[in-house]
Amino acid sequence: MNGTSHVYDVVVLGAGPTGENLADRTSAAGLTSVIVENELLGGECSFWACEPSKALLRPVLARADARRIPGLRRAAEGPLDVPAVLAHRDKMSAYWKDDDQVDWLRSVSVDLVRGHGRLDGPRQVVVDTADGGTLRLTARHAVGVCTGTVTAFPDLPGLEQARPWTNRDATSSRHVPDRLIVVGGGVVAVEMATAWQALGSQVTMLVRGTKGLLNRMEPFAGEMVADALRAAGVDLRFGASVTGVARQDGTESPVDVQLADGESLVADEILFATGRSPHTADIGLETVGLTPGDWLTVDDSYRVTDVADGWLYGVGDVNHRALMTHQGKYQARIAGSVIGARAKGEPLNDGRWGAHASTADSAAVPQVVFTEPEVASVGLTTRDAERAGLRVDVVEYDIGRVAGAAQYADGYRGKARVLIDADRGTIVGVTFVGPGTQELLYSATVVVASEVRVDRLWHAVPAFPTISEIWLRILETYRDGVRPAT
């Protein structure tokens, strides 16, 4: 790219999955698009989150399944081949090189600028480029902020000097710590505790609250995951607050952790998985009247509501609507279509489930927690439905009673909960817990997003013997009568 200033229809800050998809969709709409990134194209998901974490977890879950299958149990009793697991993780993370993603970006006719981009007034972005120069980009129609989130650390004395792990360290570490403390009880915490315990660490989990793990999901999900973690050898403690962290000089020195009850713990590494903050502190928000470091408040087309003239869009995690990669990509598809339509003066189809409406990031958000057992959910929880004032019938079923589950593993343990809107006869929430349930999630997502009536689902015949027969058992249970949620 030559010169010190360029004009595009769309400028995108951040080349994670959200930014990549937004630039792709605006380019597909016939708009000239450029993306600015100061790290690796593919972002957190490709290199420090989704891909490496699932690469670490896949052998763990496969071994757990094998240990429940006659004829394989003995072969699966040994320890994991740690070097092979880490090598697989490296491969799935593309060895932390983004050459393939650069080639893909070029194939969809999107320009790339390497460097740190900041807003500099309406429709203006200034980039400190990787080669030490400065480049000004002007957007005719839109600037999309897709910078994601960063680890949110608590305010603890000695924390910075203790060099705590973030999710990036936990997914890219080249050694297995003998003792690992995991602070938190959410998705990152339970997944990393599952992975590193299986790889040979003695894991202690410190959860500040007392209501259990995965507290944004149905309570039974966290309870079943907690039982499995304890069975695997994890020391799981609730109501445990960290008040101080210290590490002596030297990379090999242990970390001392002080708890509110006066107890001290020692570990080789400590992972803080206690939340995320918007990655907006140094992107020039103050030049357009916004506060650096804040989440971006957006409307249902992802326009930032506090910026005049509707040129600034906040897409993905920065808007705090649904902090998951697949939801960021969904939002980018919607926002890209919106930007394209507005640029051409076309009317928007922005009704519920319309092509230009962000319905799914509130009504049908799917999520998988890759623990043992797996947790798969979409739509509302029982608590969500109660808060929304919905009258729902709650249908539960033991997945282990399904013939396909018995084929899947001896002693299969799992549970399904389905929420049915009693007034409309549609399913508004589904949670599955059990081995292999991740592959049930898309069918559940289709059911929730399509708002199909339960009486029509009788004609969706599950194959025998598969775990998907859980749908038939749920329908039979509902037909035979369930009590409304209380």
Side-chain angles (χ1 to χ4, degrees), residues 457-476:
L457 287 179
W458 281 102
H459 299 284
V461 181
F464 179 87
T466 65
I467 300 177
S468 63
E469 270 202 306
I470 185 63
W471 284 109
L472 178 58
R473 302 298 170 235
I474 288 288
L475 293 173
E476 290 171 339

Side-chain angles (χ1 to χ4, degrees), residues 179-249:
R179 300 159 298 178
L180 172 64
I181 290 176
V182 177
V183 183
V187 175
V188 173
V190 297
E191 287 190 346
M192 290 297 94
T194 298
W196 288 106
Q197 179 74 29
L199 288 168
S201 295
Q202 175 53 59
V203 175
T204 300
M205 288 190 71
L206 304 177
V207 185
R208 184 173 62 180
T210 58
K211 295 183 179 180
L213 302 175
L214 303 173
N215 57 24
R216 295 185 180 181
M217 307 183 91
E218 295 285 10
F220 70 85
E223 292 165 6
M224 294 178 72
V225 170
D227 289 345
L229 286 169
R230 288 193 177 102
V234 173
D235 180 3
L236 177 55
R237 307 184 185 192
F238 293 104
S241 295
V242 177
T243 57
V245 180
R247 190 196 297 263
Q248 298 175 5
D249 293 338

Side-chain angles (χ1 to χ4, degrees), residues 29 31 141 303 313 336-349 356:
L31 304 180
H141 297 292
R303 273 179 164 172
Y313 290 74
S337 296
V338 167
I339 292 169
R342 284 176 172 154
K344 299 173 185 176
E346 298 173 351
L348 297 185
N349 176 10
H356 304 113

